[in-house]
Amino acid sequence: MSQDPLVPKSKLPTLGTTIFTQMSALAQQYQAINLSQGFPDFDGPVELQERLACHVRKGENQYAPMTGVPALREAIADKTAELYGYKPDANSDITVTAGATEALYAAITALVRPGDEVICFDPSYDSYAPAVMLAGGVLKRIALHPPAFHVDWQAFASVISPRTRLVILNTPHNPSATVWRQHDFAALWQAIVAHEIYVLSDEVYEHICFADEGHASVLAHPHLRQRAIAVSSFGKTYHMTGWKVGYCVAPAALSAEVRKIHQFLTFAVNTPTQLALADILRSQPQHYRQLPDFYRARRDRFVQALATSRFEILPCEGTYFLLADYHKISDLDDVSFCQWLTKEVGVAAIPLSVFCADPFPHKLIRLCFAKQDATLDQAAERLCQC
Ligand code: PMP
Ligand code: GLN
């Protein structure tokens, strides 16, 4: 008699495979140009690759310190001081993580207790909600609306309760490509000043911001940064999403809590990659300083190439994503439209509704423009035929 295998009662019963994995697989199946999952189709700086090879050859292949190699934490502290006028302590305030994903998970796990409420803004990046749910938290999602995706601060204030523990924000914002300004952080501070509420600021696209005034970081706000965890990712900055190295910056007491989780999630991030990143942060600061120009040129080329299409392109203030409204092309919902686009037109994109809890009635898709000119031109040619 065969015995039934034990099937665990899922802790995340409604969760499927991420849209990024699904759409990249569909793109591969149909040989479509993959503008869905966000990753460049070009390599990062040659010097970075050479530094990695050099550190591997030199034998830097054993465990790194749990919090990150000192040279990298010090370089991050100096970069933060240069950009945001505030120098975190490299020893106590900076933790190197396995991509931003790990930092976000560790931060949420460290801060959210069962029954705590967590405010986030929809559309919101897909890794936040499962982490909050696993911690026993309750998400309070505030819907933002296109094209501006502005926060209504009155609505925000009405969502705060004695149970609110954490606010999660993301700027530059994936997927809307909008950015927060300093006045948004001022409004956030006003709304939470009287409460014991922490802030998790996902700033993985901090160096891909096209606003005249540059990227507004939570770390530049003297009050907010005392209760904030700011998260960044070298994958975005150095065109190496597969390296999976990120970090978070937070005051010592908050960092200590994050590190309690980090040390049992991954313990430490791979050593030679950290050393290579420390080298290039020091030797080529122009790389991140020039990144807005680098991506602005790609954005403008792509927008120009789509000018004769029937898509309506929304403003893009940051990230390497462009939103396109397809209401003149199809009545399909956005998930079906993205599948149709991949199979019939040969371009894969990401639907926006998957980032929202409430129905998202808009006909918007996200296109990644972190691609070579030839890729963008070919994709635009196909999209113009829709
Ligand atoms: N947050 C946002 C908003 C992202 O877009 C991404 C990845 N694209 C991440 C976090 C995760 O970054 P990483 O790949 O470094 O884990
Ligand atoms: N964050 C990337 C995006 O928005 C994808 C990351 C992933 O595949 N998990 O496309």
Side-chain angles (χ1 to χ4, degrees):
M1 203 176 72
S2 71
Q3 216 181 338
D4 284 344
L6 279 180
V7 178
K9 194 158 182 277
S10 176
K11 294 181 79 175
L12 297 166
T14 58
L15 205 71
T17 310
T18 79
I19 190 71
F20 309 117
T21 304
Q22 286 181 41
M23 291 312 302
S24 277
L26 201 66
Q28 202 167 18
Q29 187 184 343
Y30 286 87
Q31 296 291 297
I33 301 171
N34 190 0
L35 305 190
S36 63
Q37 192 177 24
F39 62 87
D41 70 347
F42 44 83
D43 259 342
V46 172
E47 184 188 330
L48 184 56
Q49 299 168 29
E50 285 169 353
R51 296 308 302 162
L52 176 64
C54 174
H55 288 298
V56 169
R57 272 198 306 271
K58 273 194 334 208
E60 301 281 8
N61 299 309
Q62 307 310 327
Y63 290 129
M66 183 271 278
T67 57
V69 301
L72 182 56
R73 283 186 278 112
E74 280 154 21
I76 293 168
D78 287 340
K79 174 178 80 91
T80 306
E82 172 203 326
L83 295 174
Y84 309 128
Y86 157 68
K87 187 166 175 180
D89 186 301
N91 279 322
S92 59
D93 302 354
I94 296 171
T95 309
V96 180
T97 56
T101 309
E102 197 228 339
L104 292 164
Y105 191 91
I108 291 167
T109 307
L111 285 177
V112 178
R113 302 156 306 189
D116 282 346
E117 291 178 0
V118 178
I119 301 176
C120 75
F121 304 97
D122 274 5
S124 60
Y125 186 62
D126 66 346
S127 81
Y128 310 152
V132 171
M133 278 149 66
L134 287 172
V138 179
L139 261 189
K140 297 284 164 182
R141 307 172 79 130
I142 297 179
L144 307 183
H145 304 286
F149 295 91
H150 281 156
V151 178
D152 172 346
W153 289 105
Q154 266 181 351
F156 180 87
S158 71
V159 172
I160 292 180
S161 87
R163 308 186 79 134
T164 309
R165 174 79 164 169
L166 181 67
V167 178
I168 306 177
L169 66 100
N170 170 214
T171 182
H173 184 250
N174 176 12
S176 78
T178 57
V179 303
W180 276 33
R181 304 288 195 299
Q182 271 170 16
H183 64 79
D184 292 300
F185 283 109
L188 175 62
W189 175 245
Q190 283 312 314
I192 68 168
V193 61
H195 308 268
E196 195 193 318
I197 297 176
Y198 297 93
V199 174
L200 178 55
S201 189
D202 179 347
E203 302 183 18
V204 298
Y205 301 100
E206 62 175 323
H207 301 298
I208 314 179
C209 179
F210 311 122
D212 292 341
E213 56 273 52
H215 170 62
S217 172
V218 76
L219 298 173
H221 193 288
H223 302 301
L224 275 174
R225 69 175 172 240
Q226 292 174 28
R227 33 165 119 168
I229 300 175
V231 171
S232 192
S233 169
F234 290 112
K236 320 290 171 196
T237 307
Y238 289 101
H239 318 310
M240 302 292 207
T241 60
W243 284 23
K244 294 296 295 185
V245 186
Y247 63 90
C248 61
V249 180
L254 269 176
S255 289
E257 294 306 308
V258 173
R259 289 171 175 185
K260 287 179 189 172
I261 310 298
H262 164 72
Q263 69 178 341
F264 294 118
L265 260 182
T266 56
F267 180 66
V269 174
N270 80 79
T271 309
T273 311
Q274 291 192 61
L275 291 168
L277 286 164
D279 291 344
I280 200 151
L281 273 173
R282 295 278 182 212
S283 66
Q284 289 191 19
Q286 70 276 16
H287 175 87
Y288 60 78
R289 290 181 194 146
Q290 289 167 1
L291 213 53
D293 289 340
F294 176 85
Y295 274 118
R296 188 183 288 108
R298 287 192 151 66
R299 177 197 69 179
D300 292 348
R301 182 187 186 98
F302 195 39
V303 171
Q304 181 64 34
L306 290 170
T308 58
S309 79
R310 290 196 293 157
F311 287 98
E312 279 174 15
I313 305 301
L314 271 63
C316 166
E317 302 178 301
T319 74
Y320 43 49
F321 303 117
L322 198 62
L323 292 193
D325 184 320
Y326 63 87
H327 78 273
K328 288 189 187 149
I329 299 171
S330 170
D331 287 334
L332 289 173
D333 64 75
D334 60 354
V335 173
S336 308
F337 183 76
C338 284
Q339 287 165 354
W340 173 82
L341 199 68
T342 308
K343 293 176 190 172
E344 304 297 332
V345 181
V347 179
I350 295 285
L352 253 70
S353 61
V354 299
F355 301 104
C356 305
D358 291 338
F360 188 76
H362 310 281
K363 301 221 171 292
L364 288 175
I365 59 169
R366 191 197 81 177
L367 300 162
C368 173
F369 60 81
K371 305 293 167 190
Q372 297 172 44
D373 288 352
T375 314
L376 292 177
D377 292 350
Q378 205 190 354
E381 202 179 305
R382 293 181 186 184
L383 292 169
C384 283
Q385 279 155 22
C386 291

